[in-house]
Amino acid sequence: MTNCLRLLKTKVSIVIIFLVALHSEAWSQSKRLEIDKIMNEVGIPGIQIAYTKGKNTDLYAQGVKKFGTADKIDSKTRFQAASLTKVVAAYTFFRLLDRGLIELDKPLMYYYTYDRLYNTTHGDKITARTVLTHSSGLLNWEGDVPSAQWRATPLTLQFEPGTDYMYSGEGFYFLQETMEHITQKSFQSLVEEEVLNPLGLTHTNIVWNDTLEPRAAYGHYELDKPRKLGKYAKTNAAYTLYTTAADYTKFIQQALLQGKGLKKGTHKLMLEKAGEAKKSPDVDPTDQYVPCALGLRMQLNEKGVAYWHTGSNPGFRCFFITYPKRKETLVAFMNTDQGFPAMKKLMQLFLDNNQTFWAYDWREGELD
């Protein structure tokens, strides 16, 4: 009798597992069809998505690397992460902060005399905090990035550091060179040693190398107009990360949500509100819903606090949003300049739609 009961329980368990798997596959197939619909509506050649809820992660890879070819996107296709690179740079900074190599509120010029700011009034007031909250006063870019002429261009300040908001890639590059000077290591080495290797991000590079070519997605002006393959040969803390949605999700889960590799106080500090954002020169009522954390943006809405960032490189649009209390994360990479209208549609598809998605509604995904 005991053996019969055990056999019956085993059969029931097998049936339950089969039904759960069947339901999961039906759910995934439904999502794939909806993603196809969004891609057609927006005009997206290829897309890569990772959605995590609790311990489960679903991956979606649809479309092609380059319009007019049969080279399909898969889960290991490398996309340009654009400004999502800044979050990796921020985490790298906090790793160095924990070792006492750099401070959050000490002027960066104390550590490193940046030649582009040598004769700039108030340039010596820029700190890591002002860089990470985009309150350094620096323009997004000043010159033809990443040319030698750009690197030699003196920088100007639009306001005294810490007194206003202006999204700036230049600030992150200044922080990059400061970290390189302090450690006497290249930024590539720093990111590999402090982020990629410890977190097991085996499908991520901070700069181009030719082994990526067969796996890289091409950017597009729009659906049927591909760009040349983007190959950033010089590291830049603001935009040169090549990665996958799965790897970037691993970074979010470990670095941002778990605080792996950081002291508890540092992890808490990284996620606290640290500054205000502005969508225009004048304060807008919606600014209050997307304040700055250190290297991240926050979303404050009906569901509580989420963290997010978007990225815009020529030919690419991407974003992530993560809800720590709900253990829910959505990451998406798209290989077209026209990709941002898909951002809200994807959030509505995967996340609880009974909320205001300020991450998109504030400036339709754009940060600069």
Side-chain angles (χ1 to χ4, degrees):
M1 186 66 176
T2 302
N3 288 337
C4 289
L5 285 173
R6 287 175 179 169
L7 182 61
L8 180 60
K9 287 180 178 179
T10 299
K11 289 182 177 180
V12 169
S13 296
I14 291 172
V15 169
I16 291 173
I17 291 171
F18 174 76
L19 290 174
V20 169
L22 196 63
H23 178 268
S24 177
E25 177 55 32
W27 189 86
S28 294
Q29 180 59 25
S30 172
K31 287 290 185 287
R32 282 191 287 269
L33 292 173
E34 289 296 324
I35 293 168
D36 276 338
K37 182 179 177 182
I38 292 170
M39 291 175 69
N40 290 330
E41 289 174 351
V42 176
I44 300 172
I47 196 167
Q48 203 180 67
I49 297 169
Y51 170 68
T52 300
K53 184 84 179 278
K55 296 182 179 180
N56 298 319
T57 298
D58 295 316
L59 301 177
Y60 301 86
Q62 296 171 218
V64 294
K65 297 175 185 174
K66 183 180 181 182
F67 183 84
T69 74
D71 197 0
K72 294 183 177 181
I73 300 288
D74 61 32
S75 62
K76 295 181 180 179
T77 299
R78 299 294 186 87
F79 281 76
Q80 292 182 29
S83 287
L84 269 60
T85 308
K86 293 181 174 74
V87 187
V88 173
Y91 176 78
T92 304
F93 163 80
F94 281 112
R95 291 271 286 170
L96 300 186
L97 180 143
D98 267 350
R99 295 208 288 278
L101 297 177
I102 191 169
E103 295 181 20
L104 185 62
D105 294 308
K106 184 169 285 188
L108 295 183
M109 292 281 271
Y110 171 86
Y111 302 100
Y112 171 59
T113 303
Y114 192 28
D115 55 332
R116 299 175 71 199
L117 283 168
Y118 189 73
N119 293 314
T120 304
T121 302
H122 298 311
D124 59 352
K125 294 184 179 180
I126 297 173
T127 65
R129 182 187 296 275
T130 64
V131 168
L132 296 175
T133 56
H134 297 281
S135 59
S136 68
L138 295 169
L139 294 168
N140 191 13
W141 298 111
E142 193 157 358
D144 184 19
V145 187
S147 67
Q149 183 181 8
W150 157 74
R151 178 58 186 78
T153 301
L155 295 176
T156 58
L157 289 179
Q158 309 308 301
F159 51 81
E160 185 176 337
T163 64
D164 207 340
Y165 170 90
M166 177 178 286
Y167 188 83
S168 175
E170 289 285 7
F172 273 78
Y173 189 77
F174 179 20
L175 181 60
Q176 169 185 326
E177 289 210 358
T178 303
M179 291 191 288
E180 289 176 324
H181 178 77
I182 288 169
T183 61
Q184 292 297 295
K185 294 180 180 179
S186 69
F187 190 65
Q188 178 179 350
S189 295
L190 282 173
V191 171
E192 289 172 353
E193 293 172 11
E194 303 296 338
V195 188
L196 308 188
N197 295 337
L199 302 185
L201 307 184
T202 56
H203 299 292
T204 301
N205 294 74
I206 188 58
V207 69
W208 177 266
N209 69 64
D210 288 339
T211 65
L212 300 179
E213 186 155 350
R215 291 171 283 170
Y218 283 70
H220 292 70
Y221 294 97
E222 53 189 74
L223 176 64
D224 60 348
K225 294 181 179 178
R227 291 173 174 264
K228 293 181 180 179
L229 189 59
K231 302 178 181 181
Y232 293 115
K234 296 181 180 180
T235 57
N236 192 307
Y239 64 81
T240 61
L241 194 72
Y242 293 86
T243 190
T244 65
D247 248 26
Y248 203 86
T249 297
K250 286 174 65 177
F251 167 71
I252 293 169
Q253 297 295 318
Q254 295 178 81
L256 304 188
L257 301 189
Q258 298 171 24
K260 183 176 180 179
L262 299 177
K263 294 178 180 178
K264 287 185 178 180
T266 304
H267 179 224
K268 181 181 178 182
L269 175 68
M270 187 178 185
L271 299 180
E272 290 176 349
K273 178 181 174 180
E276 304 293 342
K278 289 171 66 178
K279 69 189 299 183
S280 61
D282 297 320
V283 174
D284 185 276
T286 62
D287 294 342
Q288 64 183 305
Y289 302 115
V290 288
C292 297
L294 292 168
L296 293 161
R297 196 57 52 89
M298 303 171 76
Q299 175 183 270
L300 311 179
N301 70 4
E302 302 89 342
K303 301 300 178 181
V305 178
Y307 297 89
W308 63 281
H309 211 287
T310 62
S312 305
N313 271 12
F316 291 89
R317 297 293 184 270
C318 55
F319 74 91
F320 81 83
I321 187 165
T322 184
Y323 298 74
K325 288 189 176 181
R326 296 163 61 181
K327 296 181 179 179
E328 190 172 25
T329 301
L330 178 64
V331 177
F333 293 107
M334 299 161 280
N335 61 345
T336 173
D337 290 333
Q338 312 304 316
F340 269 150
M343 179 178 170
K344 186 170 184 177
K345 296 174 185 289
L346 291 170
M347 290 192 293
Q348 290 172 326
L349 176 62
F350 283 94
L351 307 173
D352 184 345
N353 199 21
N354 295 313
Q355 62 178 302
T356 308
F357 290 113
W358 293 114
Y360 180 80
D361 289 348
W362 182 61
R363 281 200 66 204
E364 297 182 342
E366 294 287 359
L367 283 172
D368 59 353

